Amino acid sequence: MTMRLTDLPGITLQDDEPVFAEPWEAQAFALIVHLHERGAFTWAEWADALSSEIHGGQTLAYYQHWLKALETLVAAKGLTSASALTARKQDWLDAAARTPHGQPITL
Amino acid sequence: MPHDHSDDHSHMSDIDARVRALESLLSEKGYIDSAAVDEIVQTYETQIGPQNGAHVVAKAWTDPVFRDWLAADATAAIHSLGYTSRQGEHMEAVFNDADTHHLVVCTLCSCYPWSVLGLPPVWYKSPPFRSRAVIDPRGVLAEFGLTLPDHVAVQVHDSTAEIRYLVIPQRPLGSEGMDEASLRRLVTRNAMIGTGLALSPEATS
């Protein structure tokens, strides 16, 4: 049975919606636009990376695919590595855990 | 800042931490300028949106020279109004008429004419739209409330990283006396993707 667009949760076909649902989506989006403008990769390379991620068999929300493709591409381009990203992610989670609520989180 | 649980620590989601990891690492290595990243967010949230495309369409409706230019070289014609793609892809304008209705999709990912329409709506990025727009365009259009007469052919355009399409809807009946500024209000985002038509003047008055 084909899935109807109207069956998708949270999707309105006519009404305008906010551009970004959460701040991290906006940051992930802008990182790609900025890295491309700085010449880190071509737009075709990015489209390929995003397409491979979307068609990789996992169904995620769009910007989650976007973020995974971004992580993959910057590692493939040698800008950073997967292990550095994982380590730094943990640094941020640790920093959040020791920061009192309401204060800016810094490493 | 007063807070009920002042001894609580902050909470950060896993995904938020991943984005911060990217930003902090790339910034330390000089690959990104965080202020420029913030500026891009701001621009896309406030300045780039379907109002840009509506300007292009209304001008095409009222200015035959511009319309011809748009048909021949949409990238340059759109650029002349101040809308430039940051990704450098080519734009192509496709014109609806009495016999043909155009519909735009990106089956690969979600390539979209950002410079004139802003960021794509959620449904444009959804797998059902991406797959079904090609197989069953009339069925998809019906879900958007758009039923076309049988004699109107539906032409589907698959966007790529290099080419993005802008649908120029037909100018609605009853809009003959309207100027360009008023006409812009008749041009919806969906009309420029092809999942809708331009509004009739009565609908907006």
Side-chain angles (χ1 to χ4, degrees):
Chain A
M1 206 177 95
T2 53
M3 191 172 179
R4 293 174 64 85
L5 284 166
T6 41
D7 294 338
L8 294 173
I11 289 194
T12 51
L13 297 182
Q14 304 292 348
D15 297 347
D16 277 338
E17 58 192 75
V19 174
F20 301 108
E22 294 182 53
W24 71 263
E25 295 185 353
Q27 294 298 325
F29 167 80
L31 276 172
I32 280 294
V33 172
H34 181 60
L35 284 166
H36 170 257
E37 284 177 356
R38 288 228 161 163
F41 41 78
T42 68
W43 200 255
E45 285 175 319
W46 165 245
D48 278 350
L50 180 58
S51 177
S52 308
E53 168 53 39
I54 287 175
H55 296 272
Q58 233 188 327
T59 304
L60 298 172
Y62 180 72
Y63 277 110
Q64 293 188 29
H65 281 308
W66 182 286
L67 178 58
K68 284 187 78 175
L70 166 57
E71 290 167 338
T72 306
L73 188 58
V74 294
K77 287 287 175 182
L79 274 54
T80 183
S81 67
S83 56
L85 285 171
T86 306
R88 180 59 62 90
K89 180 186 94 172
Q90 194 55 51
D91 291 346
W92 278 110
L93 292 172
D94 294 345
R98 65 167 181 264
T99 305
H101 192 100
Q103 289 187 19
I105 300 165
T106 51
L107 288 177
Chain B
M1 186 195 291
H3 195 275
D4 288 346
H5 310 282
S6 54
D7 55 350
D8 264 4
H9 63 73
S10 300
H11 294 278
M12 185 182 287
S13 70
D14 193 73
I15 208 151
D16 203 7
R18 282 165 62 197
V19 174
R20 286 188 189 229
L22 277 162
E23 270 191 311
S24 55
L25 279 172
L26 295 173
S27 167
E28 283 161 20
K29 293 187 174 189
Y31 290 120
I32 63 165
D33 167 5
S34 294
V37 173
D38 290 346
E39 183 252 298
I40 291 168
V41 171
Q42 179 116 40
T43 304
Y44 273 92
E45 282 184 330
T46 58
Q47 289 166 36
I48 302 183
Q51 71 275 14
N52 297 4
H55 179 195
V56 174
V57 171
K59 187 157 179 67
W61 282 346
T62 52
D63 178 346
V65 174
F66 182 79
R67 184 189 177 87
D68 289 346
W69 190 14
L70 194 61
D73 185 353
T75 310
I78 290 168
H79 182 99
S80 77
L81 299 182
Y83 310 129
T84 313
S85 161
R86 299 172 86 130
Q87 283 73 47
E89 74 279 1
H90 285 281
M91 288 292 309
E92 195 167 318
V94 287
F95 297 77
N96 287 347
D97 58 29
D99 306 312
T100 311
H101 180 88
H102 297 278
L103 173 65
V104 180
V105 65
C106 177
T107 54
L108 272 181
C109 45
S110 56
C111 294
Y112 191 72
W114 294 353
S115 57
V116 279
L117 296 187
L119 293 176
V122 174
W123 54 260
Y124 185 86
K125 300 177 288 194
S126 72
F129 180 74
R130 297 207 320 268
S131 58
R132 289 190 40 231
V134 175
I135 305 163
D136 177 24
R138 283 178 190 277
V140 167
L141 293 180
E143 287 174 34
F144 281 89
L146 177 56
T147 306
L148 297 166
D150 286 343
H151 73 270
V152 177
V154 179
Q155 204 170 328
V156 180
H157 301 271
D158 197 353
S159 311
T160 66
E162 288 83 25
I163 297 189
R164 316 284 170 91
Y165 298 91
L166 178 69
V167 176
I168 310 299
Q170 285 190 279
R171 184 169 172 166
L173 292 172
S175 69
E176 290 74 14
M178 295 170 71
D179 64 10
E180 189 195 300
S182 323
L183 287 169
R184 290 188 199 189
R185 294 203 301 273
L186 306 181
V187 188
T188 63
R189 177 193 63 202
N190 285 12
M192 294 182 281
I193 303 175
T195 54
L197 303 176
L199 302 173
S200 76
E202 300 88 67
T204 54
S205 58

